[in-house]
Amino acid sequence: FFFFFFFFFFSFLFFFSSSSSTQQERRTQTEREDEDTMTFSAAKIMKLAKGLRYPNNVRYRCARDTVEKALQHSYKDRKIRKRTFRSQWIVQINAGVQQYGLSYSNFMNALVENDILLNRKMLAQLAQTEPYSFEALVNVARPTIEAKKEQVKQYQLQQKLEKEKLQQKKKFDRQNLALFA
């Protein structure tokens, strides 16, 4: 009986000591989260809410919620703006390349293979404002694209020949099975 008493007593102490440490860990975790988040004074929030409509520019609680949501949207929209600019540049480059009978993906791949490392923004500006410079880039990329097309044709021809050989072998095997059956 004495042994069981000590066993339960120490397990009870161990249980509560571990739970208090997790509470302490939780407290430090929330403190760390508070340190990571931006904190604004009421004056700063009211200053940020200056151009908003009635309840949001006068009442602190409304202003706080609206400013927080506005800051979230501005963060998100900065990312979206980069995305939309990139897609616009791709459309402009594609339009410039299609005048010469090429596709965007083949053109960009050929530029990378030829170690021409112009970004999409510069390529789009060249396509719009400098047609002769852009044509020079297309002429540099064209032989690489033609070589790639030739490699693809050879690969497809090789695959077709291998497929025909396999079919002939299957046909020959079926004929031999018919003879022995």
Side-chain angles (χ1 to χ4, degrees):
F1 176 78
F2 191 72
F3 174 76
F4 287 114
F5 173 75
F6 275 109
F7 177 75
F8 287 118
F9 178 74
F10 284 117
S11 63
F12 183 77
L13 286 177
F14 177 76
F15 176 75
F16 280 107
S17 66
S18 64
S19 66
S20 65
S21 67
T22 56
Q23 288 173 354
Q24 187 177 7
E25 288 173 5
R26 282 190 205 128
R27 192 168 355 108
T28 57
Q29 183 180 3
T30 54
E31 287 171 3
R32 274 187 255 127
E33 287 173 0
D34 289 343
E35 290 171 5
D36 291 344
T37 57
M38 292 175 53
T39 55
F40 290 120
S41 65
K44 264 189 184 175
I45 288 179
M46 295 310 289
K47 187 176 179 183
L48 287 171
K50 198 171 185 179
L52 301 175
R53 288 181 180 261
Y54 163 62
N56 299 329
N57 67 353
V58 176
R59 297 181 183 163
Y60 173 71
R61 279 188 183 178
C62 296
R64 181 189 61 203
D65 295 341
T66 308
V67 166
E68 182 181 354
K69 185 58 80 173
L71 291 173
Q72 289 172 0
H73 283 302
S74 67
Y75 176 81
K76 175 191 65 166
D77 291 338
R78 282 194 297 272
K79 308 298 177 193
I80 292 174
R81 186 186 333 141
K82 292 174 181 66
R83 226 179 291 161
T84 55
F85 272 122
R86 182 183 167 96
S87 64
Q88 286 176 357
W89 296 330
I90 289 172
V91 167
Q92 291 168 359
I93 296 168
N94 192 20
V97 167
Q98 283 182 354
Q99 293 175 351
Y100 300 102
L102 302 175
S103 70
Y104 168 79
S105 60
N106 289 336
F107 176 70
M108 293 302 288
N109 189 20
L111 288 182
V112 169
E113 285 184 8
N114 288 323
D115 293 328
I116 299 172
L117 302 176
L118 287 173
N119 61 8
R120 286 167 179 80
K121 181 180 179 181
M122 293 297 116
L123 286 171
Q125 285 182 353
L126 283 176
Q128 283 185 338
T129 60
E130 299 284 334
Y132 295 114
S133 303
F134 192 73
E135 185 179 4
L137 286 173
V138 169
N139 291 335
V140 167
R142 193 179 298 274
T144 307
I145 294 172
E146 297 300 328
K148 275 259 190 208
K149 285 183 180 178
E150 189 61 35
Q151 285 178 351
V152 169
K153 283 182 182 178
Q154 288 177 355
Y155 178 75
Q156 288 174 345
L157 181 64
Q158 183 183 8
Q159 292 295 318
K160 186 177 179 182
L161 291 175
E162 287 178 6
K163 187 176 180 181
E164 288 175 0
K165 280 184 183 179
L166 186 65
Q167 287 177 350
Q168 287 177 356
K169 184 178 177 186
K170 284 182 180 179
K171 184 178 179 183
F172 181 73
D173 289 343
R174 272 190 248 121
Q175 288 174 353
N176 287 341
L177 282 174
L179 290 175
F180 293 115

